[in-house]
Amino acid sequence: MNDSASEGAPIQRAPVYQTQRRVEFRDTDAAGIVHFSAFFPMMEAAEHEFLRSVGIPVMPHHESEERLTWPRVAASCDFHGPARFEDILQIDLHVDRIGQSSISYRFELTCEGRRIATGKITAVCCDLKAGGKLVKTNVPDDLRQRLSGPQND
Amino acid sequence: MNDSASEGAPIQRAPVYQTQRRVEFRDTDAAGIVHFSAFFPMMEAAEHEFLRSVGIPVMPHHESEERLTWPRVAASCDFHGPARFEDILQIDLHVDRIGQSSISYRFELTCEGRRIATGKITAVCCDLKAGGKLVKTNVPDDLRQRLSGPQND
Amino acid sequence: MNDSASEGAPIQRAPVYQTQRRVEFRDTDAAGIVHFSAFFPMMEAAEHEFLRSVGIPVMPHHESEERLTWPRVAASCDFHGPARFEDILQIDLHVDRIGQSSISYRFELTCEGRRIATGKITAVCCDLKAGGKLVKTNVPDDLRQRLSGPQND
Amino acid sequence: MNDSASEGAPIQRAPVYQTQRRVEFRDTDAAGIVHFSAFFPMMEAAEHEFLRSVGIPVMPHHESEERLTWPRVAASCDFHGPARFEDILQIDLHVDRIGQSSISYRFELTCEGRRIATGKITAVCCDLKAGGKLVKTNVPDDLRQRLSGPQND
């Protein structure tokens, strides 16, 4: 928050991660465009790329001591315009909010500057206990910093 | 809105359509549960079953004179609890709102009474013109009535 | 093998299981037909329905003592004709062969008598050991009998 | 076939195209590995990358004069070992055979040298007529040459 924000100017924060992805044939449907459900795995893949890029494991490995994982509690998407087979989608990932034990991502998908979709995923920080039980836990401070992205340095 | 609503009593409208679906293996992911994105095609399939049940074509056929179709402008889902392989999901479809040219569905997914997910899809009524162009149009009155379901008779 | 077979008469064995499935919108692609890859989950779902129908668990549950599972080693499909959105597919499941530790299924998919696809899946009988390790094992005799279907009584 | 082949020396032809792909979470299933059906869209995406790399359109665009397309008549895959979330798969594409009006691809999938899967797709060269009708046609000579890859120069 800075002064201009308190005066009502919108804060245009830069995305913390950017990636691209070409629409594959299996992403499309008989209407000739990307099926609305296909944007969700695309957004998740971008989230996972981002996590890897800042050194946060997406899923604990069996042998690892790291036991944090991020089940989703909500996902949504607004569809602005159609994407088609072979389109190259630009995916800009924003971290909208890091709560005590949750994180909210926003994904802006465009194709050659044309707006395609705006999606959101909210995930909860969980401790994966023996036997597969998940227990909600606070986002550790070092992760919180890495999740905030470079613009908060 | 009616009097009882203004007094704060919740209106518990019955779903306009109910169906069931068994979780298939391809719906699951390496966390051992249904992947969050897999609920969207399930909700869409329930919507399409509902449309067929009230005699509304889902997609115009080439030879048909019926030219209405329903592209989605928004979809969202809150995930309350995990569903697993072979679970039988109860899907209750509600029509939350029929606007001038749009319809908003809500889907309540449960498994043996346990809440799994609440999803929403908003679709826009469009005229499919020659060449595949979509033009937003008003929901015709006869469709509006059929979409409102049996409880509004 | 019997005499008539040795004389060259084809053996027309009945399917051990039959089911139906309506093509959903997510099964289709921008060519307006079912995507070729979408037939594989359909065949697997039919296989799992069959296993349940003869009382064989598809996947061991954590708490269960039953530890057998059936990873696939091969899958194939010949595509005879297109299937489209909302088509109702008839799926006939045949057990082509039960080997010492494997089973080969064949799936004949038709739509109103028209041939759509012929698929095959070969699965291996495995013991699921603690830690997730899979060890190939012989198909137990009681399972072998149930997998052979009603025509072998 | 040439002399060295008749003497039993195996012909090790180089792949005509090579690409890599990271396993995404949606590719996995509750057994913790890539679902067997998920390899087919991966192979198709590699095929389409290859076609683009040699300047062959995958699907005719509405405005294009190019009317050739490649519906598949068969697909198969042998599964040698499991692939898991985040694995980077090496996909080597071979053109096994170009017939009068068909092409057969083979895909060798490995992960850090470990064999994962060997898949095959056979597609037929078709002319896309007005109204969506497909008519089998001969593979044009210039395409035949481009499909054969660099090793046949």
Side-chain angles (χ1 to χ4, degrees), chain A residues 35 44 73-79, chain B residues 35 44 73-79:
Chain A
H35 190 261
E44 179 176 67
V73 290
S76 66
C77 197
D78 292 327
F79 309 103
Chain B
H35 190 262
E44 179 177 64
V73 290
S76 65
C77 198
D78 291 328
F79 309 102

Side-chain angles (χ1 to χ4, degrees), chain C residues 65-87:
Chain C
E65 283 189 30
E66 177 66 71
R67 308 309 298 163
L68 293 185
T69 188
W70 303 87
R72 15 305 334 260
V73 289
S76 66
C77 197
D78 292 327
F79 308 103
H80 310 304
R84 295 176 200 281
F85 175 52
E86 296 192 316
D87 279 353

Side-chain angles (χ1 to χ4, degrees), chain B residues 32-152:
Chain B
I33 62 177
V34 173
H35 190 262
F36 79 101
S37 73
F39 289 109
F40 291 99
M42 290 184 196
M43 301 192 295
E44 179 177 64
E47 171 198 357
H48 290 171
E49 274 188 41
F50 163 62
L51 290 175
R52 282 191 293 267
S53 76
V54 295
I56 299 178
V58 180
M59 273 186 80
H61 288 260
H62 277 297
E63 59 272 25
S64 145
E65 284 188 29
E66 177 64 74
R67 306 309 297 163
L68 294 185
T69 188
W70 304 86
R72 8 318 324 265
V73 290
S76 65
C77 198
D78 291 328
F79 309 102
H80 309 305
R84 294 175 200 282
F85 175 52
E86 296 192 315
D87 279 352
I88 295 174
L89 301 180
Q90 171 73 28
I91 305 179
D92 288 2
L93 182 157
H94 299 258
V95 173
D96 269 0
R97 181 175 178 275
I98 307 179
Q100 190 169 315
S101 59
S102 71
I103 181 163
S104 295
Y105 300 99
R106 178 167 43 89
F107 305 85
E108 300 288 349
L109 280 73
T110 53
C111 178
E112 298 181 351
R114 193 168 48 88
R115 292 179 75 208
I116 301 296
T118 301
K120 293 185 181 181
I121 293 177
T122 299
V124 171
C125 187
C126 281
D127 208 358
L128 180 59
K129 302 289 189 188
K133 201 172 166 59
L134 293 171
V135 178
K136 191 164 81 172
T137 188
N138 287 355
V139 180
D141 281 346
D142 64 318
L143 261 64
R144 187 178 297 270
Q145 201 149 0
R146 279 185 270 168
L147 288 166
S148 303
Q151 85 282 19
N152 286 27

